[in-house]
Each structure stands twice: as structure tokens, then as C-alpha cells.
Amino acid sequence: MYVSGAGSKELIFIYNILPGDEALPLMIQTPDIIRFDGFDGGIFKYLGHDDRNLMESRYIAADLSWDGQIASNVFIDTKPPTIVNITVDSTCGVNKTHRAGDIILVHVIFDKPVVIFGDVRLQMRTVRPVGAFASFHGKLNRETVVFRYFVEEGHWSRDVDLKNTSESIYFIGDTGASIFHESTHPVSAADLNFGSFDVPSIRIEGRKPFIKDIYISNGEDGAAVYGKDDEFLVAVKMSCPVVVAKGPPVLIIDAGSGYKEANFTSGNNTSTLLFQYIVEIGDRSSEFLKVKMLCIASGCIDGSSNEGYIQQLSSRPSLNADLTLPEQNASITGTIEYLMRNVVSIDTMHAPKTFVRSIELWGDGGIVGVGEVIRIHVIFSDRVYCRGGLKLRLNTKSRAAYESGTGTKKLIFVLKTKLQDATKRLDWELNENSNTAFICETNSHSGSCSITNGKGEQVDLSLVDEDGQFRIPYPLSPEIEVSSTPPKIVSVHANPSHFGDCPSSMICEYTAGDIIVLNLKFDYEISIRGNPRIKVACYDGVNDYVYATFDSDLSNDTNAAFKYVVLPGHTTESLPLSYYYEEIDVLHNNDTSIKRKSTYPTVSANLLPPDPAFYPLKSETNILIVVDAIKVPSIRKLSFKNTTGIYSPGDRILLVVEFDKNVDVSGTPVLLLNVGRGKKGCAFYSSGSNTTELIFYYDVGLSHCTEKLEYDSKYSLVKSHNEQCTNGNGWIKRTSDTSIIDADLTLPTPGSRGSLSFDSSLLLDCSEPYISKIWSPESPGSFNAKQKVSILVQFSRSVVVHGSPMLLLETGTIDRWAVYKSKLNESTLEFEYVVRLGDKTDDLEYWTDEDLLRSSVPSFNLNGGSIMASSTNPVLEADIHINPSHGTLNGHNQPVHLNEGEAEFLGLKIGQRGNDYRLRFTFDQNPRVFQDETGVIMQQSCEYEVNGNEEDRNFDDGFGSAVALRNGLLAVSAPKKKVPKSEIQVVKVQSEASEKQLEVQIISTKVDLELSTRSIQTFSTFANRDEEIRGTFSLAYEDPNTGYLFSSEIFFTADAEAQFMKEQLNEKLPILNNVEVNRLANSQCNCKNGWTWEVTFLDASLGIGPLITNGTTLEGRGAGITKSEVVSPTNMLHGFFTLLNPFTFTSSRNISFAATAQEMKYIIEQDLAVTIQSIQAGNLDPRDIPELGRRWKITFLSHIGPYGEDANVPNLIANGTFLNGAKSKVWTYVEIEGKSPLQGSLAFSFRGSNYSSFIPFDASGEIIKQTLES
């Protein structure tokens, strides 16, 4: 079927292959190669132009005859695919048993490419579970489909001969899925019957391995007798090969002296595990040994374990073996025949006597402090059994007591060292007149003392022989010294948690919230108990001592760490931080000590640090530390990262706010910018926290225009939520580990040194690019078909283009598009028009709709693209308005010079009608910042004027006395040419308003709601000199107007935290409308624990009296509390303002910030001579008080202007010099401009002449005649 290609030399046909089609290869019949079905008179035509008349088109039928040959390598085969083979690929190889964890991949091979739809599965003929499925895994190639079968626990099957298809375990499962012959639209289903090909046999075994038999595996043909130290192997036969995943396992057997362990030796990855048993003294047996259990690891004598450490062997072992014995306490035999013939016998009665092999120190040796617990191991030749109070004599005259080990070959003795045990080398020592160091004493507490072997014989404890030679290694090793030397401090370093503010390479400064750690290094390991502290040489403003307290998390065995947290007010007064040359304070708490490390610390350390006069306190990098928690960060200057220039909407400008100290930033502070036209822009914080330079980013908005970008005021850096910028609350504080001190965010005055605009100037240009010129660089010229014409479109400023805009041209009968080609420069676009056969025009112009409302706007087509003002992220669309063609601006269009006011252009002329002309006005000094435009409609018109020459005319010249208009041709008669003819001019007077519209102006006052409503009170606790303040005090609140007491007294401890006081006041005195609390040390009191609380009432707009303080429950000589004093009252609106009439330059009397509507009306009418219809007055804030802002909406009647009564009232100007309050302001603006129907008077002037006298707007013709003639 034909699908496309009309209008070109190539036609495209599509043939859909149907079931049953076959072609090897595809042939195309040459007779009747193109046939028309289902249409009357279907025909191919050639589209061209007649040479005699290029404007008339004709069609020529195509010749469809063709005698060529078609070469084709296209084959069509719609027979269904069939299975030709099946292969198996598995992780354990072909024709082997597959176990749990193994993966079997079955490859089903077709004779043609196939495609899979849905969940195709392969059914496996398994015994358990019945009919398991192999899932579709993918395609190995276009003909091979791969199925994946994962063997799980419980799956198994018998061997199957798959050569017999009737016994095959495979068939394609009917799951609603399908396999089709691969094609563009698959419709031919595959034949899923298996053929007569060979299929490999598969066996699946997913059942748990289990123990089949346990027997002796030494290989003797007859009975064997085992003595001491003889060994034999025990075999555990499993049902299938297993892997020993963890362990190693042990076999618990009874050799006649209790249960003991036989150790695993080999058999991993086989079905037989071998365990070795070595006969010990006390073992005995005359018949069969007994097996208790198979354990996965040593030490499980008292309990069984079946946790899966022995698993079925597979490519992915996961199936735990069943370790249950075939029959509990089954005999250990060979085969059944061997059981009948053999008896296993163990006899150790004639084994040699048990003796001491060695005495060893447990651990690494070295030097330990007094109080350390030392353990000594005594190794015997056989298992021994100890009873009573056995001890080991040492060379310190102390005795190590038996601790544990009975029933093993190792006994453990323990010594808790004391001062008397201090020695250069600890060792055992022989008892007096004895060959042993062991002491076996019988007492009432431990009973009789004995140490025997498995046969019950006494153990030989002698350590030397008859010749006095040591029978065991001597001396005791490894070597250990017990020391009583007290540790001492060898060095002190200060390690701040961060680098700090470092004005030089030798000194760093730290502030409130920083943490400085003093590390005291000792020469021996120490043990610290309690909370020791070090007094540091730093001042807190109240002469209290400042301490660094012990921090166990930062300490280690030889280093004691003391943490000093810098608080507000702390300072070293520009001197390096140091400590007092005195012992570490451990006496302030009875439970505090620093001793030499041992199990039971005994020796107290020397706590006097090095003298700081000779060893100044420095960091490990040799830096001196200065503390100053008094200085507040302030702003040095602001600057741009961008270069000076012009920026457009979408551009991003980076600003730098530089502080004199490192600052920490939380949240998203904003910098409010003055972006022109009374608007504010938001520069958001981006980066720079913990440095002196904060980076803000500002994205230029669509309406942001200003000659010099600057911030709004000294208070434009805002850290809290700003409604316009929609940022969250945050803060800017001096950098420290826990930043506390708020930075001073006051900016340099805009325009002054340090401000943004002082050193650089960034201009914001939001003017829309518009088309300022369209022309062709190839004009004049003449062009023929297929030639290209370049058309340039120039914009008022640089632009970026996306897509392919087009410009429609007037090219005769068929209008053509000029297509965008490229940018010649930043503001000029090049379009290309290709002349085609039939195009004709004497003066190429863009297209214009020549209907009644003549317009050329549709001639510029963005074609789905865009043209925008250039910027890094263009967002400002260009104005692509085009004036109607041939509409040039003539007349007196010279610039008008003025400093202020209105510019009036007289005598402008457009010589062609059009519906949507646009005139643009710009200010020459800075056209980017100020420009305006107006729309003009030029309708049909005639000019009744004859231009004659007064000096050269013929008598009775009648030029233009008759005209005729026909088919676009204007005929003008000219009898008696050069005879002057009267000129007719029409004067119209009109007004935009058909009825009077009253002017409405708004006067409004404003104050910063947050700053103005705040009130701060302070109160302090005090006491006699050096006296510590304890106990409690209370706060209450009484209504200052009614004397009503709200709630009961709220009690606080003498050192109440600010946060706790805030929570209590907000919870129990909600009438206070939310408070913040700050606590500072009372610097006026030479007492201890004296504080000043600063309570900030966030909303005191309705009046809040002083809090009532009560210190009768405070303890300490002279202890008390001051009255709460208001140190910062509210600063809401108060005072007055004045209004100025700019027409008469008269000023009003003082107007109160809370003036009523009647008072405002009286003042304006009396002082400013403007009549008022009505005034609506109201408060701006929901709290409804004028102190938070007030608004007057004034509807005027008229005022007396230069031409009489005028509804357009002058814009009143407000003066708020004497208006007070936090950031107080008063301003006016016009909401509705006043307008009147036509009235007044007018005057006339011929070009260049003076004006006539004024006459009424509705003067008669006679009056106008007299006026003009005068």
C-alpha cells in the first residue's frame, strides 16, 4: 500500500506479511507494477509551472511503465518455529547429581528466531515437588531460549532416560504465555512439541544429608588394644557428600572415663568425615565404644547443636545436615561383619606417672603496676583433678592460688599483686627444703587438698630431680616486672577541636562554644576514677575559676584528656591560654583519683603538671591559643564576584559578604536588594559557612531594572524568615564547635565605602528585546529561481534563539517563508529565503494582512521555538511585534530635551494605514533602564491640502479640484494648474472619560512589627562577696491595669538555665505572648553563682508590666534578687507626619499617626484646598492598634487647577520626619486616577506662531474664525 512521498521523486509502499506467505526470495511482478484500487481515476501527476504564465499551475500525468528488473534479497517464511534440540548447562556438570543450591540452565533451541511474550516456564518432572517449574531466564541468541531451575531443599527426582520422548521430564508449561516467530508484528506461534533428539539425563537430590553409619576406620583385620597416647580414627558415614562450613566439628565418645572429644581431621567435600581420638590415662574399654553426639564445634559436651555448620555439598551450600545419630548410643563397629568379629579394647593401667611439664605466665609479660592480677598456667603430662586449696609459691613471698582447670592438662593460678610484690622479675620459688613450689594445704574452708590423674594416682609435683636440676623450663617466662613507681605527667598539650581563627601562623583565637582539650601525657599507664579537673588561666568576668573537666571518651591509658568549653564572656585578655601550676584537682570529690593502671589500681600518680612558665601550653602543632568570647563578628564589606557590566533576567549574580571573624551559618539567610521600580530582590545564602566570606546568589527577575545594583538598607541582611523570599529561619553566629555569639549583621550604608556599589557597578536591564530593523544586505538586487536572499532582523539588544523561527514574505501569488539560518552578531539574526519558480515582487517586503485591519504581526512565526534576551538562563522573551509594512515614521520626530516632566511630540506622521503600529520612546542617557511604548491605529484617511508655490502659479489653477478612485488608481484633475485652492483642516476635541471618575489615593503608615513590639526586662541574683548563692527564687506576673495575678508563683533554682525558664514562662504565663530568655553571669556581683536573666517579650504590643521577683527562698549570706527592670521598651509608631500639595506647594499641619477619618478630611480640605467625598480609615495589623500601622483611603471630588475645577487631583506627598518607631515609614500612592468629561478651554497655533487666546472647548464656528484670524 502507498504510504508517503507525494511531491517528491520517490514513493514509499508498505507490504504486511500474512500467515501462509512464502517467498524465497521475494519477487516483484513487473507488469502492472503500480495499480489503483478503490479510487476513481487515480493518477500520478507532475506539478510544474507554464513558461507563458508563471502564476498558473498545471498537472501532467506520470508515465508508470517500467521494464527494469528488481534485485531482492528479501525472504518470506511464515512456517512456525520448531524445537530442534535441548541442552543442559549446570553448576555441577552434565549427567551428575544436582543438590540444593545448584542451578540448572536448560537451553531449548528452535530452528528459527523466536520472541517470548509473558511468563513462559518449563515444567520439570520431579518427585518432590510434583511438576516443579524452571523459569524463563533469557535468550542465549535469537533461536535459543534459556530456562533456569534452582534446586531447593526437598526437591528430588530419579534418573530418567530422556531419549524416550514419552518419558521426557520437560514440556512447555501452559501459563497463558506464548512463543512466536520473531517479526515486526509476531503472529506465528511456535510448535512446542519435542523431537526425537537426545536429551541429557538429570538427577536432583535436595533432601537433607543424614548420618548412615559410625565406625572405627584404622584398617586392622583383627581385634586391637589401645594404650596411653595411642590414636585411632572414627569414621562418620553421611548419606551424601557434605561441606564442613564452620567449626571444626568434634565427635563426643565415651572411652570409659567420661565423654571426651575426637577431633575432626579430614573428609570435607566427601560423604565420610574422619575424627581422631588419642587415648588418655584413665580410659578403659573391653568391648564397644559409645558415641554421644556429633558437635559442630569443640565445647558442646553438655548440649547438642544442629545449626547448619555441616551442609550438603553443592555449588551454593545452604542445606544443613541432619546430625541425629542413626540410633542413640549406637555401638561403634566396622561393617556388620566386622562387628561380629572384633572387640575394641583400651587399657591405660600401666601408663607412667603424671608430672609437671611446665609453668608459664599467661599474657605478654612486660611491666605491670602493683594491683595487677597475674595468672600463671601449670601444664601437666595428663589430665589432672584438683581438690582443696592448692597454691604456688612465688619469689615475692606471696602465693598464687589455684583458680580453675581441673579435668584438663592445665591448671590456672592467680595472684593479686600488692606493694610487697614489687619485683624486677616475678618467678616461682621452691618451698624450703622441698623439690616443689606447690603447697597443698587442708583447711576448714576448702577441705582436704589433693591433685590426682585419671587413674586416681597422686601427681608428681617435683620441679627438680635428685641432682637439683630443674625438670621444667626455668625461669618463669615471659618475663614480667611488678612496679610500684607512681606515674608522672611528662607533657601537656592543648588540642582544639578545629583550627580556629588564626591571625598568624603561631596564634589561633577561639570563642564561645569552642571546645579545647588539654591532653596530659603520663609516663606509665593510668587509671582514672571520678571527675578530676584542671584550673585554666582564663577570666569569665566574675572572677570565678574556670576549669577543664576530665573526659573519659577522649582519654587513653597514657593520656588524660580534660575538656574546656569556652562560654560567653571568657577571655585570656589577648594572652595565650595556660593552666595553674598546681596539682590536678581530685579533692573536690571523694570518689576521684588518678592511679597507676592495674586490675586493682593501688599506686597514686604524681599530679603536678610541668611548670607552664618553662613549658608554655601549645597545641601539638606548636600553636599558641588565645580565648576571646567577647568580640562579636561584624561585616567588613560586600562585593560582587561578577564583573562590572549589564545583566539580564535569568542571569545569576554572586555576592560576597565579608566578616572580620569566621561565622557559622544555619538555614538560608537572605540579602534584600534594591532592584529598581520600588521592588526588592532576594539574594540567598549559598556557601561559606565557617569562613569569613559568605556567598549569596541572586537570580535577576523579569521586572528587575536598575542603573546600579545595591542592597536596600543597612538592615537588608536578614537571617530569619522573609515573606517575600520565602526562606526559612536561620542564624549567623561566630564560628565555634557550638556556635553561640550572634554576628552583627549591620551593613555599610548603601553607596558608602564597603557597600556593593562603591567599587563596582552592575546594571540590571529588564527591557524586552524588540525588532528595531529588518533589511537585506543584498539590496538593491534582482534574483531568479533557486537563488538565496539573505534577510537580517536586528533586535534592540542581544538575544538567543532556540528552534527555527520563520519570517513570511510577500512573494506574489504564493507567499514564502524565510527560514532562520544563524546569528550574525549578538543582536542580529540572519534569515534565508530561497526564490522559487513563480515568485514575483518588485519590492520584497514581509507579509501584511491587507484586510480592513491591516497587520503584519502573524508574519513572524517562532515555529515552536523562542527568542529571548541573552543571559546565562534566558527567561525574558523578546517582543517580536512587526509594524505593518511601508509604515515609515515621518514628520517632526526629533529628540525632545528635558530634565523632568512630560515629553510631547508634535507633527509625527505615518504614511500608511495599519491596525497595530507601535511607537517606542527611550531616554538617550540610559535607554535600558527607561523606555516606553504606545500603540497607534492608522485608519483610512485623506489629506485635504494642496502644496502650491505662492511665488509661481498660473491664473485660476484648479489642481486637485476633482478626483476619482478606481481599482487602486487615483486620478487627480489639474485644470488651470498652479491656481491656489482653499485648504481644509479638521479640529476635533475629545476626552477618554464619558463620565466623571473620582480619584482615590492611599496614605499608609508602617513599622517593623518584629522590632517595634519587643520589650526586654532583666533581673539579677546577688550575695555578699565570695558567697555562693543557692536555693530558689520565684517569678509571678500581675496585670498592670487591673492588678489581677495570673497563675501561682513559678519557682526556679538559683542557677536556672535560660531554656528551662523560657519553657516555664511560656507554659504557665501564656498571656505574655511568647518569650525568649538569655542568662549571663552577674558581672556586678563578686559572689559565686550570681546570674542575670534577660527576658525578651516578643509581643508586648498590648502592654506588659514588670515581672514580680521573690528571692526569700535564696540561700547564702546577703542573697537576694533585684526587681525586674524594663531595659528596652516597645518602639511602636508614635509622632506625626505632614502632607504636601505639589501643585500649590502648600503643606498641611501636623497629622497624628492615629488620626481619625474626620480629622484627616478636615486637615486636607482646609490646608491643601482639595475637596473630599469620603475617607475610610483602618488599622493594618490584626491587633487593631494604630501603633502597628494605619491606612487612610481617600476619595477626592476635585481641586482647582490652572484651567478650573479638575477631578485629576495632584499626588499628595507625605513627610514622615517626625514619625517615630522601629523602621517607621509613611507613604502615599494613587489607586484610581481621577478623570472628567470634556471641559475647559483651548488655544491654536500655526507652526512657529504664538498661541491664540483661550476659547471654550465647545466654542462656535464664528468664535473659532475670529480667534484664528486674530
Side-chain angles (χ1 to χ4, degrees), residues 361-367 477-480:
L361 183 72
W362 180 77
D364 298 330
I367 302 175
S477 65
E479 183 177 347
I480 188 169

Side-chain angles (χ1 to χ4, degrees), residues 5-23:
S8 69
K9 295 180 180 180
E10 184 175 286
L11 304 182
I12 298 176
F13 295 77
I14 288 181
Y15 175 70
N16 291 321
I17 298 173
L18 301 176
D21 287 356
E22 185 174 358

Side-chain angles (χ1 to χ4, degrees), residues 99-102 149-156 205-207 319:
R99 299 184 175 90
D102 284 338
Y149 181 72
F150 181 76
V151 182
E152 300 180 21
E153 179 181 351
H155 291 196
W156 68 282
E205 178 55 82
R207 293 174 291 187
L319 183 58

